[in-house]
Amino acid sequence: MVPILLSIFLACIILFIPILFIYKSPKNINYLYGYRTKKSMANIESWRLANSYWPRILLKFSVLSIVVGSALFIAFGFVVSILGTVFLWIIFLILSIFMTENKLRKFTKNKKEN
């Protein structure tokens, strides 16, 4: 019973982070909260783009992590599912940052061309 509860708790945390950023995204550039990189903090348009794009991508990856983690739980048990889910979510977190930075780079390039 405890492994199932821990797995559900991990899934809730993985889903909570992007949902928090979707519904409570920061409106103004700050140094405490939000998707903060040099590109995202360059101007308010980049800030808003990054803070609306990144959590949506991360939410999709989070759902995929939970699905894979559930399959790992069924096939291999608790330990493998927790390790696999956390590892996969970290990879997806890094991938979502690269995707957001690429989106910001294209946005900045298009803005300079116009």
Side-chain angles (χ1 to χ4, degrees), residues 62-93:
S62 296
V63 170
L64 182 58
S65 294
I66 291 168
V67 169
V68 171
S70 299
L72 289 173
F73 185 83
I74 292 167
F76 301 105
F78 173 69
V79 175
V80 173
S81 73
I82 293 295
L83 293 174
T85 301
V86 170
F87 177 75
L88 189 60
W89 195 73
I90 290 170
I91 297 296
F92 285 155
L93 180 63

Side-chain angles (χ1 to χ4, degrees), residues 10-66:
L10 178 62
C12 290
I13 290 173
I14 287 175
L15 287 175
F16 175 76
I17 293 170
I19 290 171
L20 174 70
F21 277 95
I22 288 171
Y23 290 106
K24 295 288 184 182
S25 65
K27 304 300 178 213
N28 297 312
I29 299 172
N30 67 76
Y31 291 96
L32 296 175
Y33 176 66
Y35 181 87
R36 299 178 324 266
T37 64
K38 189 175 182 178
K39 285 182 182 142
S40 70
M41 297 175 78
N43 58 56
I44 195 69
E45 293 88 12
S46 296
W47 178 258
R48 289 185 179 147
L49 173 67
N51 281 284
S52 65
Y53 180 78
W54 177 73
R56 294 181 195 299
I57 293 296
L58 188 59
L59 181 61
K60 292 175 186 175
F61 284 149
S62 296
V63 170
L64 182 58
S65 294
I66 291 168

